[in-house]
Each structure stands twice: as C-alpha cells, then as structure tokens.
C-alpha cells in the first residue's frame, strides 16, 4: 500500500528539517528538487516576508514542500522576572559597552495565526508542520481545507497520542539528540525527554499515523536504524547546517566544524525554552538552564544586543549555535548531493 510519502512523489521519505534562522527557500528548493521534502521555516518571518519566501520557493521548484510554524501560547510578560534576568545580564552588557536602558523588550517569535494562514492559503503547501503542539481547532481546519497534510513534533508518547487525536496526519518523534528547540508542549519537565532509540519505537507502537524519526540522524546507518525501528520517514536538520544552500553564518559554520561541536547542551538562555546548541560562553555563564530566563520567546529580546555586539567583534560567545548531538557527519557540500545520498540509504 502506498504511504503518505509515496503519495507526495518523493524519491525517498527524506525530510529536511525546518531550521529557523539558518535557512530560507534556497535550501528547501534544493532538497525538493533532489527528491526529498524541503522545508521553509516561517517561525521568524513576518507575513510579508513569508509571502516573498513562498513566491521564491514556488519559482525554484514545482515539487511538494513543507512550511513550518511555531504555535506556542504567547506568555504574559512578568516584569519582576524580566528585571531579574536583565540584572543577571548586566555585567555582560557592561563588558560589551551596551547601555542596559537601550535594550528593547518584546516577543522574538509570533505563533501561527490567521494573518499567516491568509498568506499560506494562496500557496496551499503539500505539508504544513508545527512545533510546540498544534494551533487552534479553527486554524487546523483551515489548513486542512486546502488539502495540506499536517505534521507536528512529539517529544513523548503522550504528545504523540495528543497530536494524533487533534488532527496530525503524521507525528515527528523528536529525540533528545535533536538540534534547536525541543518541541515539548504537554510538559516542561525535561526529565520526560528521551533519546531517539527509546522514543521512536514507543511512539510507533502507540499511534496509528505514520511516524517521522528526528534527532541525531545524519548518516546512512542512522537512516537504516530509524527505518528498522518503524519510522515511515526521517527528518534531518544538523547534517544540512553546512550545506552550500544553508544561510548558516560564518561564525556558526566555524563552530560546527570545530571540536567544540562535540559538546552540545539543551539551554533556555537564548529564548526561554530548552533548545540544543553548541556550548558557548553564554550557556556556561548563564545556564545552560536558568530559572531567571523569561518565558519563551521573551528571553530573546535581552540577549539579542549581546549577540550583535559580540558578533561585531567576531565572537560567537552570545550566539545561539543551534546543533544536534550528531555533528560528526556534517557535510559542506550541495544539499542535493546530501539528499540523494540519504535517499539511497533509505532505499538500500
Ligand atoms: C539550527 C536549527 C534550527 C531549528 N529550527 C526549527 C524550526 O524552526 N522549526 C522546527 O520545527 N524545528 C526546528 N529545529 C528542529 C528540527 O526540526 C529537528 O527536530 C532536528 O533538527 C532533528 O535533529 P538533528 O538536528 O539531530 O537532525 C531546528 C534545528 C536546528 C538544528
């Protein structure tokens, strides 16, 4: 029986993970044109930037693609916590010559909403994926009305069951090894988080919908292991970070290709939510997990000027160097070649 991924016309079920901040339509198109499912991350795009990116993507490929959104509940700002956090950052502002009273506050990322859905409506992507659960019932119904498939990340068996019950057509089992934000949404207890080898087969056993394996997969053997454990597809992020078409900064690329990339940790100091990145000075000095960091995405605002000032001096001390644990297979070459090798590994 054809799988959902056969119906999408992919040469193999290789999904390029959406990675906000390090890629745009170029990487997505390269993966799509090589027979995988490319993804456009929209978490940090305004509605008009989303429109521009989608137009460029549609011009660059006629293949199916995925558009990805965050769907967190926006937090209520907490003035005391914000003040305590800024106090904690004060020595770093001073060291970099920043005036703390000039630092703005406000959200760093806006969840999927009717304005972005309006833009999406004229493109009708084959797949729309979400991180941090699903948007409201109305928004899910609206996306489905275009014929788009809905995928979302689960970090526990309970989250996978919840997503299936609330309309997800496939569940992404996001193991603890994964780079970037943990997609956790039913719990904030990090002790619930499992590695891919434990999480994937338990989700496969629990749900009826296809399961996409994510987290730590970066080689032919990793792809075959995910397949053996029951994955219907794999979603791969870190392995594409140094591909020619990624927009990963030079500082980030240098860190990814250095011995420092062997040490990653989950940290909330950059955004307020646990996310995996290469351990750097900010994570060591402030976390990696800080009880003072404002709720996601509010922590972003106070960190952004530190990042900008340090980067202007050629330093990644305050840069979120998002990366998964499996950095040994990072490849600096065209994304199409990476995708074709991954597809061949799936078919072997
Ligand atoms: C730099 C980076 C940015 C990411 N941004 C997003 C994002 O915007 N949306 C999302 O759903 N997942 C995001 N992720 C998580 C991926 O979807 C996926 O879970 C992860 O890359 C899989 O693990 P791997 O990095 O070990 O391949 C990001 C991952 C990385 C490395």
């Amino acid at each position: 029986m054809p799988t959902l991924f056969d119906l999408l016309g992919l040469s193999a079920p290789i999904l390029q993970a959406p990675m906000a901040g390090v890629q745009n339509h170029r990487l997505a198109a390269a993966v799509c044109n090589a027979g995988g499912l490319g993804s456009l991350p929209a978490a940090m795009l305004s509605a008009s930037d989303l429109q521009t990116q989608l137009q460029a993507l549609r011009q660059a490929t006629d293949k199916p693609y995925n558009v990805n959104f965050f769907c967190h509940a926006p937090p209520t700002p907490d003035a005391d916590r914000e003040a305590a956090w800024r106090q904690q950052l004060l020595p770093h502002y001073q060291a970099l010559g920043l005036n703390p009273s000039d630092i703005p506050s406000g959200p760093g990322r806006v969840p999927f909403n009717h304005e972005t859905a309006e833009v999406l409506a004229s493109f009708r992507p084959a797949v729309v994926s979400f991180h941090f659960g699903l948007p409201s019932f109305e928004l899910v119904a609206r996306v489905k009305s275009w014929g788009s498939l809905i995928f979302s990340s689960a970090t526990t068996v309970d989250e996978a069951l919840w997503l299936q019950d609330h309309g997800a057509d496939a569940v992404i089992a996001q193991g603890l090894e994964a780079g970037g934000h943990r997609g956790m949404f039913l719990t904030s207890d990090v002790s619930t988080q499992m590695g891919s080898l434990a999480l994937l087969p338990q989700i496969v056993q629990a749900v009826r919908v296809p399961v996409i394996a994510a987290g730590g997969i970066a080689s032919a053997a990793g792809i075959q292991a995910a397949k053996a454990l029951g994955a219907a597809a794999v979603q791969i992020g870190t392995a594409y970070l140094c591909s020619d078409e990624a927009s990963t900064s030079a500082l980030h690329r240098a860190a990814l290709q250095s011995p420092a990339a062997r040490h990653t940790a989950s940290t909330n100091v950059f955004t307020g939510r646990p996310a995996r990145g290469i351990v750097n000075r900010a994570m060591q000095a402030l976390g990696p997990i800080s009880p003072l960091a404002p709720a996601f995405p509010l922590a972003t605002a106070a960190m952004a000027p530190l990042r900008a000032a340090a980067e202007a001096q050629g330093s990644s001390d305050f840069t979120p160097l998002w990366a998964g644990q499996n950095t040994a297979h990072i490849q600096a070459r065209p994304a199409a070649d990476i995708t074709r090798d991954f597809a061949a590994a799936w078919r072997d």
Side-chain angles (χ1 to χ4, degrees), residues 47 50-51 54 58 65 67 69 112-128 139 141-148:
L50 176 62
Q51 170 92 23
L54 284 169
R58 201 158 60 179
Y65 55 82
V67 188
F69 297 90
F112 186 62
N113 56 33
H114 280 289
E115 191 191 1
T116 30
E118 194 59 40
V119 175
L120 215 51
S122 52
F123 293 91
R124 299 172 177 242
V127 178
V128 177
L139 281 167
R142 191 167 175 198
V143 171
K144 288 201 170 218
S145 73
W146 311 321
S148 302

Side-chain angles (χ1 to χ4, degrees), residues 53-111:
Q53 285 292 320
L54 284 169
Q55 271 163 351
L57 181 54
R58 201 158 60 179
Q59 265 169 19
T61 185
D62 58 0
K63 303 276 197 271
Y65 55 82
N66 168 38
V67 188
N68 171 262
F69 297 90
F70 285 0
C71 55
H72 54 285
T76 311
D78 175 339
D80 291 344
R81 196 159 157 196
E82 185 72 36
W85 181 235
R86 282 168 186 246
Q87 192 58 36
Q88 177 99 339
L89 298 182
L90 190 58
H92 305 289
Y93 288 142
Q94 286 166 341
L96 284 163
L98 295 167
N99 180 352
S101 55
D102 290 345
I103 311 293
S105 53
R109 289 157 180 84
V110 178

Side-chain angles (χ1 to χ4, degrees), residues 17-20 22 68 70 131 174 178-180 215-216 235-238 241 322:
M19 295 186 286
V22 297
N68 171 262
F70 285 0
H131 216 35
Q174 192 197 29
Q235 178 164 292
I236 298 174
T238 298
L241 278 173
W322 303 138

Side-chain angles (χ1 to χ4, degrees), residues 181-201:
H181 286 95
R182 306 288 314 136
M184 53 205 301
F185 61 95
L186 289 183
T187 177
S188 54
D189 177 356
V190 290
S191 73
T192 60
Q193 302 294 285
M194 286 183 245
S196 292
L197 210 59
L199 180 67
L200 172 62

Side-chain angles (χ1 to χ4, degrees), residues 135-182:
S136 68
F137 174 78
E138 292 75 23
L139 281 167
V140 167
R142 191 167 175 198
V143 171
K144 288 201 170 218
S145 73
W146 311 321
S148 302
L149 294 167
I150 293 190
F151 300 172
S152 183
S153 310
T155 68
T156 63
V157 172
D158 287 344
E159 287 178 349
L161 288 166
W162 187 98
L163 291 173
Q164 171 178 267
D165 290 348
H166 290 78
D169 298 296
V171 164
I172 305 158
Q174 192 197 29
L176 192 53
E177 304 92 327
H181 286 95
R182 306 288 314 136

